[in-house]
Amino acid sequence: KQEVTQIPAALSVPEGENLVLNCSFTDSAIYNLQWFRQDPGKGLTSLLLIQSSQREQTSGRLNASLDKSSGRSTLYIAASQPGDSATYLCAVRPAYNFNKFYFGSGTKLNVKP
Amino acid sequence: GAVVSQHPSWVICKSGTSVKIECRSLDFQATTMFWYRQFPKQSLMLMATSNEGSKATYEQGVEKDKFLINHASLTLSTLTVTSAHPEDSSFYICSARGLAGEDTGELFFGEGSRLTVL
């Protein structure tokens, strides 16, 4: 069974810093990996989707990378802002079951003004 | 990205009553929708997978008679919490993926519904 881990569980940084969030998974047979943002009391907002054949995806100040062989993905946030404060979750979709998504427990980010 | 709308965003009910939560895909057709439950400070727990026109597939430990799921059309799935009790109080979130051929594999989420059972 796929297991997804996110470290650290919480992160606090001053505004303007570049930061990296980590996501690791145990089974490299994945279809894709998706990063989400969740604000308190809200649903999940899709940030980036990386297909298994891709190495990275970029959207604005966000860059996500994928290394299937090592079972790792990183979400890089450039020039962090207080508005980036939220919980970030990664989810892995296995190659053998399109209806299964394995979620990490998330990293709670606090960007201090 | 695609839009998934969930309603109501919050609901308070008395113990013993039933509550229905709707999940709609607004700008795409969703063959498959997923219902999750999220406890405070925890990640999402998949409750069931709902396929249009067929019975939902429930995860182990989830009572199908307690949490009724209906996916009557390609844009609407509903979750009914029957005879709700305080322990059913939680944050329920739905998500959807698109039709085959239009399915990039991306998952889209609703805004979530906060249920409080008194």
Side-chain angles (χ1 to χ4, degrees):
Chain A
K1 182 188 173 184
Q2 178 75 267
E3 291 186 6
V4 182
T5 305
Q6 289 185 249
I7 294 173
L11 182 64
S12 183
V13 300
E15 181 177 5
E17 269 203 12
N18 302 324
L19 57 100
V20 174
L21 306 181
N22 298 294
C23 172
S24 61
F25 47 95
T26 55
D27 187 346
S28 61
I30 68 170
Y31 183 72
N32 62 33
L33 184 145
Q34 195 168 351
W35 281 93
F36 296 91
R37 167 188 175 137
Q38 185 176 30
D39 293 286
K42 303 290 185 181
L44 278 67
T45 300
S46 179
L47 297 174
L48 289 165
L49 172 71
I50 311 178
Q51 304 294 351
S52 62
S53 58
Q54 298 173 324
R55 297 283 291 182
E56 65 178 332
Q57 283 287 331
T58 299
S59 176
R61 294 183 293 108
L62 304 179
N63 176 276
S65 68
L66 175 64
D67 184 343
K68 274 200 314 179
S69 60
S70 65
R72 293 170 63 180
S73 175
T74 61
L75 178 66
Y76 174 83
I77 303 177
S80 58
Q81 303 170 357
D84 294 330
S85 298
T87 297
Y88 291 80
L89 296 99
C90 65
V92 169
R93 191 180 194 184
Y96 48 84
N97 189 334
F98 278 18
N99 282 338
K100 274 293 185 186
F101 297 85
Y102 294 94
F103 284 84
S105 52
T107 294
K108 186 174 183 180
L109 173 65
N110 177 35
V111 180
K112 298 172 288 186
Chain B
V3 179
V4 176
S5 176
Q6 199 170 331
H7 178 81
S9 55
W10 59 270
V11 57
I12 301 173
C13 70
K14 292 182 179 179
S15 186
T17 60
S18 294
V19 174
K20 180 185 285 188
I21 300 170
E22 294 186 348
C23 179
R24 295 181 184 271
S25 55
L26 297 186
D27 53 0
F28 70 105
Q29 293 181 310
T31 48
T32 306
M33 290 185 173
F34 307 89
W35 286 95
Y36 294 86
R37 184 172 179 176
Q38 188 176 34
F39 295 98
K41 298 185 179 181
Q42 295 188 27
S43 192
L44 290 81
M45 181 191 80
L46 179 64
M47 299 174 64
T49 301
S50 149
N51 292 295
E52 185 267 337
S54 63
K55 291 183 179 180
T57 302
Y58 289 82
E59 295 298 301
Q60 192 172 13
V62 178
E63 300 175 60
K64 57 183 67 177
D65 295 331
K66 174 74 167 176
F67 300 99
L68 299 180
I69 291 172
N70 182 275
H71 194 154
S73 77
L74 285 172
T75 59
L76 173 64
S77 176
T78 61
L79 167 67
T80 301
V81 183
T82 63
S83 187
H85 287 90
E87 58 265 29
D88 298 324
S89 299
S90 191
F91 191 58
Y92 295 88
I93 314 177
C94 70
S95 66
R97 67 174 183 88
L99 280 173
E102 301 171 5
D103 184 5
T104 61
E106 192 167 3
L107 199 58
F108 302 101
F109 280 83
E111 307 95 327
S113 299
R114 169 74 60 192
L115 171 63
T116 301
V117 185
L118 302 177

